[in-house]
Amino acid sequence: MDGKTRANIKPGMVVNIVLKKDQRTGILTEGIVKDLLTSAPFHHRGIKVRLQDGQIGRVQEVLEEDD
C-alpha cells in the first residue's frame, strides 16, 4: 500500500518514509508511526508523519498494518 492517502495510515503502523535530507537519494527509513502531520486527505509526495523515534518524513509505503 502506498502512503499518499491519509486514511490508509494510522499510528502504530510500520512504514517506510523518506526523510527531508534523503529526498534526492530516495533512501528509505523504516519506523513506526507516532503522529500524522499532514491534514489533507491526499498528498502526491506522501503523507508526512512523525515516527516513534522522532524522525519526520513522508510515507512511501506501508509495510505492516496495525491490527
Side-chain angles (χ1 to χ4, degrees):
M1 190 166 27
D2 74 1
K4 296 180 181 183
T5 306
R6 191 175 196 275
N8 293 342
I9 303 166
K10 295 181 176 45
M13 288 183 158
V14 179
V15 296
N16 272 336
I17 66 167
V18 63
L19 302 171
K20 183 79 169 177
K21 69 180 180 73
D22 294 331
Q23 282 180 345
R24 287 179 182 260
T25 61
I27 296 172
L28 298 177
T29 303
E30 185 176 320
I32 300 171
V33 176
K34 180 179 179 186
D35 301 309
L36 278 73
L37 304 178
T38 300
S39 59
F42 178 85
H43 193 284
H44 67 283
R45 288 194 311 268
I47 299 298
K48 189 179 280 188
V49 298
R50 178 182 295 118
L51 300 180
Q52 287 185 343
D53 64 4
Q55 297 185 93
I56 295 175
R58 294 196 181 274
V59 177
Q60 300 303 298
E61 55 188 350
V62 176
L63 300 178
E64 184 181 304
E65 294 190 32
D66 183 33
D67 292 329

